[in-house]
Amino acid sequence: VQLQASGGGLVQAGGSLRLSCAASGRAFSSYRMGWFRQAPGKEREFVATITWGGGSTYYADSVKGRFTISRDNAKNTAYLQMNSLKPEDTAVYYCAATKGGHPTLSYDYWGQGTLVTVSS
């Protein structure tokens, strides 16, 4: 599966953005989807994940209550709705897919990343 992330941009603190991850290839609905981010000078970190059917989600503590992961299997797209953004959310955001990897650690396919910049 090939992944294309989009929707990043510049936003003021307290604002919102919605990231999209469009998938091509077969059987998108059979993959768990995840979002990760990498801030300048830091390692990539887990943000959120959603099961293949969308019935279960899990978030990093740093974004819980502010971010929402979702998916539309009919459109082969996953989303990350980001509200109440903070300057520390500034990072390149990556979407990823896996069939059987660890939900927060191990993904098989990665998108190219989209930059989110939150100004104070």
Side-chain angles (χ1 to χ4, degrees):
V1 63
Q2 293 181 323
L3 305 174
Q4 178 82 27
S6 62
L10 175 63
V11 63
Q12 288 188 333
S16 299
L17 279 176
R18 188 177 81 155
L19 305 183
S20 298
C21 178
S24 61
R26 298 181 177 180
F28 171 75
S29 61
S30 67
Y31 288 89
R32 167 185 291 275
M33 297 299 296
W35 287 96
F36 292 74
R37 66 186 182 186
Q38 186 167 18
K42 295 187 177 181
E43 293 190 353
R44 186 172 62 196
E45 64 175 359
F46 165 78
V47 174
T49 186
I50 187 167
T51 51
W52 63 272
S56 179
T57 58
Y58 181 75
Y59 299 90
D61 287 343
S62 58
V63 306
K64 200 173 296 181
R66 300 188 298 121
F67 290 11
T68 302
I69 188 172
S70 62
R71 66 190 297 160
D72 185 339
N73 286 342
K75 295 183 178 180
N76 280 9
T77 303
Y79 304 96
L80 186 68
Q81 177 68 44
M82 305 185 296
N83 299 329
S84 302
L85 282 161
K86 305 174 181 180
E88 51 263 44
D89 294 318
T90 294
V92 176
Y93 284 72
Y94 299 89
C95 60
T98 184
K99 282 195 173 182
H102 189 284
T104 65
L105 296 174
S106 179
Y107 283 73
D108 305 304
Y109 303 97
W110 293 84
Q112 86 289 359
T114 185
L115 177 62
V116 172
T117 303
V118 184
S119 62
S120 56

